[in-house]
């Protein structure tokens, strides 16, 4: 309930500021590029069609309603950063992301301190912390996106040296600690791969240092049994096999409903009919803790929305990588602020894409702001720079 109140309040507040700035003349509204319009249309048509074909149940109608509000909010954010000719509003948007993530960090530290700094349960299970966010996997994605943008700002000429030596290192250390406390394996793996790309583009020497450091740490790991035990506990390798139930249930659901899926937000209703009796005890925990999902974004979208779900999943990542790759190509020779953000945004794409093979939250989950907004903030920034570059190229061609 509080999420709905927050979403409606945010929409009303943003609507007020939007109308105050742009008025009612539609011709004055900032226009996103065609690719962004196509993407939103594909997503909206998918949810609308799937909701209709699945019987107009309340959960699916709610998903359609949230989707509409979510993308209206996304457009307001885009209009905000596009309302100036420069890119100063991009930094304000990132500042908002950093501040909100810091608030979540404080809530994690608060819970961690209240537990007397408990890292393990019964000395054999690692604890996972999410604070007020509730979901450690989703929080891990948020802080991972923050980490990428902080590294980008380290190379920005528009950020003062004082900030680079004081505030940014503190933020980086904080989000690194929070990522560790979430114990999200998918986010950590995805972040490592995205940072390899980012640092290769910006500072190839660091890659060599990191490879050397990794080799040294690996030798220490092999020669230290106690460290091996700690790493094995942290990685929770014994839980990997439990996902077999989730993946198989998702594949079986797709097999039974290949064309249209079961409908938005309907996966949890069908899930329990697809798991064997041997796994029912384990998945009773999902009733208490969270909604079940197949731990694979594309599989989840196909299971709920059929063929259109696959088109939507491919479009979200396809359009993102296309725009960010174009942005890198257009600005590679200049290696200016746009190039810096282009490689950073491409890195965010790698992060979210790789993670999508293991998790479903944080991409597009029918308009849940707390889950999806951080990734879509990067999509907003990408769309803004892409459109800006596109207009500059058109001006050059005209002259």
């Amino acid at each position: 309930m509080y999420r709905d109140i927050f979403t409606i309040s945010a929409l009303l507040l943003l609507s007020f500021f939007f109308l105050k700035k742009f008025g009612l003349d539609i011709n004055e509204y900032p226009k996103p590029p065609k690719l962004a319009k196509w993407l939103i249309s594909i997503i909206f048509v998918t949810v609308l069609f799937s909701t209709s074909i699945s019987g107009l149940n309340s959960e699916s109608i709610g998903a359609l309603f949230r989707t509409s509000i979510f993308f209206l909010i996304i457009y307001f954010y885009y209009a905000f950063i596009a309302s100036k000719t420069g890119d100063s509003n991009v930094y304000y948007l990132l500042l908002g992301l950093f501040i909100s993530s810091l608030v979540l960090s404080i809530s994690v530290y608060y819970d961690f301190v209240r537990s007397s700094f408990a890292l393990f349960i019964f000395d054999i299970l690692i604890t996972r912390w999410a604070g007020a966010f509730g979901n450690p996997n989703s929080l891990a994605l948020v802080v991972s996106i923050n980490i990428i943008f902080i590294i980008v700002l380290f190379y920005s000429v528009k950020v003062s040296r004082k900030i680079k030596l004081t505030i940014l290192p503190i933020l980086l250390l904080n989000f690194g600690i929070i990522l560790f406390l979430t114990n999200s394996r998918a986010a950590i793996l995805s972040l490592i791969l995205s940072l390899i790309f980012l640092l290769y583009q910006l500072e190839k020497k660091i890659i060599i240092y990191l490879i050397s450091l990794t080799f040294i740490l690996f030798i220490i790991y092999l020669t230290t049994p106690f460290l091996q035990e700690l790493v094995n506990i942290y990685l929770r390798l014994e839980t990997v096999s439990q996902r077999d139930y989730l993946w198989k249930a998702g594949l079986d659901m797709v097999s039974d409903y290949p064309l249209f899926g079961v409908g938005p937000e309907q996966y949890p209703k069908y899930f329990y009919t697809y798991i064997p009796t041997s796994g029912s005890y384990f998945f009773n925990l999902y009733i208490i803790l969270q909604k079940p999902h197949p731990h694979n974004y594309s599989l989840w979208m196909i299971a709920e929305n059929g063929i259109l779900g696959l088109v939507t999943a491919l479009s979200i990542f396809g359009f993102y990588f296309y725009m960010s790759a174009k942005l890198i190509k257009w600005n590679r020779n200049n290696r200016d602020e746009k190039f810096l953000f282009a490689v950073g945004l491409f890195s965010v794409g790698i992060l979210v894409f790789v993670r999508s093979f293991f998790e479903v939250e944080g991409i597009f989950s029918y308009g849940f702001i707390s889950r999806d907004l951080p990734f879509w903030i990067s999509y907003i920034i990408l769309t803004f720079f892409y459109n800006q570059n596109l207009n500059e190229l058109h001006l050059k061609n005209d002259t």
Side-chain angles (χ1 to χ4, degrees), residues 11 23 48 57 81 86 88 96 112 127 150 170 176 186 194 205 215 256 299 308 349 360 368 377 391:
L11 177 63
L48 178 62
N57 54 77
I81 66 171
S88 59
F112 188 48
T127 53
I150 288 169
I170 293 173
S194 63
K205 292 184 296 184
F215 179 76
D256 289 344
L299 183 57
L308 285 177
V360 303
F368 279 107
I377 284 177
N391 292 333

Side-chain angles (χ1 to χ4, degrees), residues 281-341:
Y281 172 75
F282 171 77
F283 290 109
N284 280 338
L285 294 176
Y286 273 96
I287 300 174
I288 303 171
L289 299 176
Q290 58 179 319
K291 294 179 181 178
H293 57 75
H295 277 274
N296 181 289
Y297 183 72
S298 296
L299 183 57
W300 177 60
M301 287 297 289
I302 299 169
E304 292 204 334
N305 302 285
I307 295 174
L308 285 177
L310 175 62
V311 173
T312 296
L314 293 176
S315 298
I316 290 172
F317 291 114
F319 286 13
Y320 189 97
F321 283 120
Y322 175 82
M323 288 194 288
S324 53
K326 279 288 189 181
L327 208 55
I328 291 174
K329 179 181 177 181
W330 290 335
N331 297 280
R332 184 176 293 279
N333 293 333
N334 299 329
R335 298 190 73 87
D336 55 5
E337 204 77 3
K338 285 181 184 175
F339 175 78
L340 185 61
F341 271 98

Side-chain angles (χ1 to χ4, degrees), residues 201-321:
Q201 295 291 329
L202 299 179
E203 197 78 43
K204 292 182 176 64
K205 292 184 296 184
I206 296 181
I207 297 292
I208 298 174
Y209 296 144
L210 290 176
I211 291 174
S212 302
L213 178 61
T214 302
F215 179 76
I216 294 171
L217 292 175
F218 184 66
I219 296 299
I220 295 172
Y221 168 78
L222 290 178
T223 56
T224 313
F226 175 71
L227 183 60
Q228 293 176 20
E229 186 177 353
L230 288 178
V231 171
N232 291 339
I233 292 174
Y234 186 80
L235 292 178
R236 295 179 287 123
L237 297 177
E238 73 283 353
T239 66
V240 174
S241 61
Q242 294 169 351
R243 295 196 177 188
D244 292 345
Y245 291 112
L246 299 164
W247 292 328
K248 189 177 185 306
L251 290 171
D252 289 344
M253 203 177 297
V254 170
S255 178
D256 289 344
Y257 302 89
L259 295 180
F260 307 120
V262 297
E265 297 280 35
Q266 296 304 297
Y267 186 93
K269 286 186 176 181
Y270 287 78
F271 171 75
Y272 294 100
T273 63
Y274 286 92
I275 59 170
T277 307
S278 59
S280 60
Y281 172 75
F282 171 77
F283 290 109
N284 280 338
L285 294 176
Y286 273 96
I287 300 174
I288 303 171
L289 299 176
Q290 58 179 319
K291 294 179 181 178
H293 57 75
H295 277 274
N296 181 289
Y297 183 72
S298 296
L299 183 57
W300 177 60
M301 287 297 289
I302 299 169
E304 292 204 334
N305 302 285
I307 295 174
L308 285 177
L310 175 62
V311 173
T312 296
L314 293 176
S315 298
I316 290 172
F317 291 114
F319 286 13
Y320 189 97
F321 283 120

